[in-house]
Amino acid sequence: MQMDDPMQGNAEDLSDPVRWLSPESDVSRREREFLTSIRNVGPSIEARRAVWEGIESAAKKDVVESEERGRHRRTRRNAAPLRG
């Protein structure tokens, strides 16, 4: 008995798998309806908006904090040395 070399593969391995929603699949009508109904499930517009607003807010906060740190460093660098 000849075994296929797993490193070489064979023609059957190279074919694209049958997708559940393709006409060639063997899913039932009920399964196809269910799969179709959940195909484009995702967060609501409100949830997406809230996420992007959070990202924007965090980015703005980082910019402000970075600018404040830069101002603080310039102020310290330009300050006259302390005399004791």
Side-chain angles (χ1 to χ4, degrees), residues 2-7 9-10:
Q2 183 179 354
M3 305 272 279
D4 287 333
D5 181 357
M7 299 306 287
N10 59 40

Side-chain angles (χ1 to χ4, degrees), residues 7-72:
M7 299 306 287
Q8 296 298 318
N10 59 40
E12 291 174 18
D13 292 339
L14 300 177
S15 63
D16 200 27
V18 175
R19 307 291 183 212
W20 287 350
L21 291 175
S22 72
E24 296 83 28
S25 72
D26 60 354
V27 297
S28 69
R29 183 181 59 79
R30 190 172 184 180
E31 289 169 322
R32 189 178 305 278
E33 287 173 1
F34 171 73
L35 293 169
T36 302
S37 74
I38 62 170
R39 175 185 259 176
N40 296 319
V41 173
S44 67
I45 291 173
E46 294 82 14
R48 283 188 239 166
R49 186 174 293 125
V51 167
W52 283 111
E53 286 173 357
I55 292 170
E56 179 184 29
S57 176
K60 285 179 180 178
K61 181 182 175 190
D62 286 347
V63 168
V64 169
E65 288 175 356
S66 177
E67 288 173 351
E68 288 175 354
R69 282 192 302 271
R71 238 179 280 133
H72 179 70

